[in-house]
Amino acid sequence: MFKFCKYLSATTLSAALLVNLPASAQQAPVTDPAPPKAWHLLDLKESGFYGISLKQAYMFVQGKKSKPVVVATIDSGADTSQTDLKTVLWINKKEIPGNGIDDDHNGYVDDIHGWNFLGGPGGKADFTETTEEVREYNKLKGKYASVTDSTATNKKEYAYWLRVKTVYDSTVNKANTEIGQLSPVMNALMVTSGYIKRGLNLPANGTFSQADLVKVKATNDTLSQSKYVWESVFSQEGAGSTNAKIIKDLSEYLAKLNNDVSPDLTSRKRVVGDDPDTMDGKPYGNNLVKFADAAHGTGVAGLIGAVRNNNYGINGVADNVKLMIIKAIPNGDEYDKDVANAIRYAVDNGARVVNMSFGKKISPHKEWVDAAFKYAASKNVLLVMAAGNDNQDMDLQPEFPNDTFLDGSSSDADNVISVGASGPRMGQNLAGDFSNYGKKSVDIFAPGVKVTSITTDAEVDTEDGTSFSSPITAGIAALILEYYPSLSAKQVKEAILGSATPLRGTMVLKPGSKTEKVDFTTLSKTGGIVNAYKALQLASKMKGDSLAN
């Protein structure tokens, strides 16, 4: 699973550790001005922010009738009671709620809004997992830990073991490093949060936001330093954040890191009860899609189709969608079995677009996922994927899933779009510094820096990540299909990619670098940023495909 925000950066880390310095030695953090809450929807020429020109898109289709489009999110679930979502959820009308019977005979009992492939008996869910390389390392180490090149008999499996071990070593080393860095940050945040709450006369379980800090009267160095720490944190975390949410996010991230170092390898069997290495067709999971870890999926769903113009939360990109919620992504890496089955569930139950804001570095059963991709293509379903947040070249270091199939049948599927993350302003920071990229592997960029969406424990939250770029693009795909339902997945992809103007000559910081600049066009196939208005214009000129539903 991709980290959906960057949690606390090195700047915030330094700020948190400044608590032992006198206040006079500290300086306020320097950050770019925050963009407007809905900058990702704006038009560059009209506002100066490199959004998707959504107002212009709706003006283009004004007066036209739209048809509802089912969009599936394969994610961490969603808050089905969220004000901005509850009226736009997909409802399986063939199923009678709560009767414990598979009324529509699709293999899933009481799947009213979707399905939970991480679910188990008793309403449980396996939502805390480790990474795939940790699972595979522990599965194979007994067989290959003492094997060498000269003694290996199964050369193919041994080569796979070596790759797994390389990735495992990197993951565990990084996890140990981050635990060492972030544990004192967590301690500092807990301590300083307590001082701020006392300064605001809040109870021990009280929460505060950036706006509340102006009320804190720094009567001593300790309170002054605590205020500085939280000013630094809030300046990076964005609108909608609270001390409770930030501490919760960091706690969950530290739990994930610790699970990489000291993994719980029995949770899948204990909670779900199936064998994730066997694709046997037996039913598993449950129908509960709302759990404590639903914030990521809630934000993703909101960007696609949150209720528009209701004076709450945000406006989704598409205005006539039904959101199918499929829970298959834990706090850790997803299982190939779940991804393949989730795609097939979405296709079989009427989704035209599937959003996939997740990814990992090892795919032990890629053939299952490849087959699901091909199945989606055969049924004319578009898959929109986040490129990932490791600031790496996907052409050199691919992540999974991807559309480079093991059988060599495709390296650029007609029904798959991979999306990188762009920032709000033209200039050297136009490419998100965390975003993966690739001239051959990433199709297009879309807003993914300081993007605001709905969440589970507040009205809105602002985060970074290609996890947001993907649903914004998926929302545009849905919008196209609302007004041009006869178009095929291939044609929708063509309209979306064609909407991006190649930004030749725009020099940007290469993701992950503070100094090296590259031409923006080298970062993706299109070399540009998605635009809803232009995509609708292109779609309007296309003749409907006979393959379309």
Side-chain angles (χ1 to χ4, degrees):
M1 178 180 183
F2 298 138
K3 290 192 298 248
F4 137 77
C5 60
K6 291 179 290 179
Y7 296 93
L8 301 173
S9 72
T11 302
T12 306
L13 171 65
S14 300
L17 296 181
L18 281 172
V19 292
N20 292 322
L21 293 180
S24 60
Q26 302 172 11
Q27 295 181 349
V30 179
T31 60
D32 290 333
K37 184 174 104 170
W39 78 263
H40 63 284
L41 306 180
L42 300 179
D43 177 75
L44 177 63
K45 185 179 294 186
E46 186 174 272
S47 70
F49 293 96
Y50 216 131
I52 63 172
S53 305
L54 191 63
K55 182 181 79 172
Q56 289 74 10
Y58 276 105
M59 290 174 63
F60 181 75
V61 294
Q62 190 172 12
K64 298 180 184 291
K65 290 186 177 180
S66 66
K67 293 185 177 181
V69 175
V70 178
V71 181
T73 63
I74 302 175
D75 215 289
S76 64
D79 182 355
T80 51
S81 63
Q82 226 281 352
T83 300
D84 253 357
L85 291 184
K86 60 185 179 182
T87 61
V88 294
L89 295 173
W90 172 74
I91 298 174
N92 184 355
K93 296 180 180 179
K94 299 177 183 178
E95 198 76 19
I96 299 172
N99 69 350
I101 299 172
D102 180 14
D103 300 289
D104 59 359
H105 306 292
N106 69 348
Y108 302 92
V109 175
D110 289 340
D111 54 324
I112 303 303
H113 297 306
W115 194 251
N116 175 9
F117 287 98
L118 298 173
K124 296 179 181 179
D126 176 29
F127 54 76
T128 300
E129 270 287 347
T130 186
T131 57
E132 193 70 80
E133 56 267 26
V134 171
R135 293 193 292 251
E136 288 294 283
Y137 174 84
N138 282 279
K139 187 191 306 178
L140 296 171
K141 67 177 181 178
K143 184 175 180 179
Y144 284 106
S146 60
V147 175
T148 64
D149 289 341
S150 59
T151 61
T153 55
N154 187 332
K155 299 295 185 182
K156 182 178 180 181
E157 188 175 77
Y158 179 68
Y160 174 68
W161 154 254
L162 292 178
R163 181 167 178 271
V164 165
K165 187 177 184 305
T166 298
V167 178
Y168 167 84
D169 288 342
S170 175
T171 294
V172 172
N173 288 338
K174 181 181 178 184
N176 278 318
T177 299
E178 288 195 88
I179 290 169
Q181 292 174 335
L182 294 177
S183 292
V185 172
M186 173 61 89
N187 292 336
L189 292 182
M190 293 294 290
V191 171
T192 56
S193 176
Y195 287 128
I196 295 295
K197 282 186 273 189
R198 284 195 286 276
L200 292 169
N201 293 316
L202 294 173
N205 62 348
T207 63
F208 58 86
S209 65
Q210 187 171 20
D212 294 318
L213 293 180
V214 298
K215 306 172 190 174
V216 176
K217 305 301 181 184
T219 55
N220 55 59
D221 279 355
T222 299
L223 193 54
S224 176
Q225 291 158 0
S226 298
K227 182 177 180 180
Y228 171 80
V229 167
W230 281 97
E231 285 174 341
S232 302
V233 172
F234 283 132
S235 71
Q236 295 201 23
E237 292 300 302
S241 289
T242 66
N243 65 306
K245 183 187 182 304
I246 290 167
I247 289 172
K248 177 187 173 187
D249 284 351
L250 182 55
S251 177
E252 289 178 352
Y253 185 54
L254 279 167
K256 178 190 176 300
L257 294 175
N258 280 301
N259 205 21
D260 289 342
V261 176
S262 302
D264 177 0
L265 299 171
T266 65
S267 60
R268 175 72 179 215
K269 185 67 176 177
R270 191 173 64 248
V271 176
V272 182
D274 72 322
D275 180 356
D277 293 314
T278 301
M279 185 68 84
D280 53 14
K282 293 180 181 179
Y284 67 100
N286 63 38
N287 68 336
L288 304 176
V289 297
K290 178 185 177 182
F291 282 85
D293 64 330
H296 187 277
T298 300
V300 164
L303 288 167
I304 296 169
V307 176
R308 295 177 56 79
N309 305 317
N310 64 343
N311 296 314
Y312 180 88
I314 66 164
N315 287 335
V317 172
D319 66 343
N320 194 1
V321 293
K322 297 299 178 184
L323 296 167
M324 181 187 296
I325 309 301
I326 306 176
K327 182 175 177 63
I329 313 304
N331 184 25
D333 279 351
E334 58 280 357
Y335 286 90
D336 289 341
K337 178 180 178 179
D338 298 340
V339 172
N341 284 330
I343 292 171
R344 290 178 180 274
Y345 177 92
V347 172
D348 289 342
N349 288 280
R352 292 291 307 274
V353 181
V354 180
N355 187 79
M356 301 165 60
S357 291
F358 56 84
K360 58 184 179 180
K361 300 181 184 305
I362 297 288
S363 181
H365 300 293
K366 179 169 166 53
E367 69 278 7
W368 296 347
V369 182
D370 287 356
F373 271 46
K374 293 176 184 179
Y375 182 67
S378 74
K379 300 296 184 179
N380 194 44
V381 175
L382 182 70
L383 307 178
V384 185
M385 307 189 307
N389 303 332
D390 296 312
N391 51 55
Q392 67 186 28
D393 187 343
M394 298 276 280
D395 295 345
L396 302 177
Q397 295 176 283
E399 292 195 353
F400 304 94
N402 59 52
D403 58 352
T404 301
F405 300 147
L406 291 178
D407 64 6
S409 61
S410 175
S411 59
D412 186 14
D414 289 337
N415 70 317
V416 178
I417 301 176
S418 176
V419 191
S422 56
R425 300 174 178 86
M426 285 289 286
Q428 68 174 11
N429 296 316
L430 184 61
D433 63 355
F434 54 85
S435 181
N436 287 350
Y437 56 94
K439 187 64 177 175
K440 298 178 181 177
S441 304
V442 176
D443 290 297
I444 198 166
F445 273 59
V449 177
K450 294 192 184 321
V451 172
T452 299
S453 188
I454 54 176
T455 186
T456 54
D457 49 7
E459 184 175 336
V460 295
D461 187 30
T462 300
E463 301 283 2
D464 297 337
T466 59
S467 281
F468 275 0
S469 308
S470 181
I472 289 171
T473 306
I476 295 173
L479 187 61
I480 292 172
L481 288 169
E482 286 180 25
Y483 291 94
Y484 306 100
S486 64
L487 297 184
S488 67
K490 177 181 179 181
Q491 289 175 308
V492 174
K493 177 178 177 176
E494 289 173 352
I496 287 174
L497 269 56
S499 76
T501 301
L503 298 175
R504 293 186 182 88
T506 301
M507 301 303 292
V508 299
L509 287 172
K510 184 178 179 180
S513 173
K514 300 294 185 185
T515 56
E516 181 183 358
K517 290 187 177 182
V518 296
D519 193 296
F520 191 81
T521 58
T522 66
L523 300 179
S524 70
K525 294 174 188 175
T526 61
I529 296 170
V530 70
N531 186 277
Y533 172 50
K534 292 179 182 177
L536 280 174
Q537 285 182 310
L538 290 170
S540 72
K541 299 173 184 176
M542 294 178 175
K543 184 178 180 180
D545 194 303
S546 60
L547 291 175
N549 292 342

